[in-house]
Amino acid sequence: MNIRRGEICLVNLDPTLGAEIKKTRPTIIISSNALGKLPLKLVVPVTDWKEYFTGNLWHIYIEPTITTGLKKKSTADVLQMRSIDTRRCIYKLGVVPDITLRDITIAIANLIEYEEIL
């Protein structure tokens, strides 16, 4: 499956260990489209939005829209970012707005304390 940066795909994340986000769920592709030798993509899992996520720098709010393909208020859980084999992707749901992808990138930079792009 040809998946691109900013797309939301339904992905099977199991098996997992401990506190890793589980199940089959939407994920946002965040790796560069220029990477292509291996069938691997960096993804950020999406989960249901909870009000207590407000203020967490690793939770990026996503509104459900026709464009995203999401059915309810959601969050990109940047702390759960991981690499997956593209065979885990079941189908494409939609695409996130550019501003959401930018916010995810900033959250990653904050999580790793990378100050140059902040």
Side-chain angles (χ1 to χ4, degrees):
M1 178 182 300
N2 184 24
I3 51 179
R4 304 187 55 76
R5 180 173 166 80
E7 291 181 334
I8 302 173
C9 293
L10 193 66
V11 171
N12 179 358
L13 296 174
D14 289 330
T16 58
L17 290 173
E20 294 171 349
I21 205 162
K22 302 172 177 36
K23 304 189 296 186
T24 297
R25 65 177 61 247
T27 63
I28 301 166
I29 310 305
I30 59 168
S31 33
S32 169
N33 294 330
L35 302 173
K37 296 256 183 214
L38 294 174
L40 298 172
K41 296 288 183 180
L42 284 174
V43 299
V44 171
V46 174
T47 192
D48 296 347
W49 175 256
K50 308 281 191 272
E51 285 304 318
Y52 62 85
F53 292 163
T54 302
N56 292 349
L57 61 93
W58 63 91
H59 284 121
I60 306 301
Y61 178 79
I62 306 169
E63 191 71 37
T65 65
I66 292 170
T67 305
T68 64
L70 299 172
K71 304 286 188 229
K72 50 191 166 184
K73 294 178 182 180
S74 301
T75 185
D77 189 347
V78 179
L79 193 56
Q80 294 276 352
M81 176 180 63
R82 67 183 78 174
S83 180
I84 63 158
D85 188 291
T86 56
R87 291 177 292 180
R88 286 186 178 267
C89 297
I90 300 166
Y91 61 85
K92 296 177 194 178
L93 292 171
V95 63
V96 293
D98 289 341
I99 189 73
T100 303
L101 199 52
R102 178 186 167 278
D103 290 347
I104 289 169
T105 303
I106 290 169
I108 293 167
N110 283 325
L111 285 173
I112 64 169
E113 298 183 0
Y114 184 77
E115 303 203 11
E116 206 168 296
I117 65 170
L118 306 177

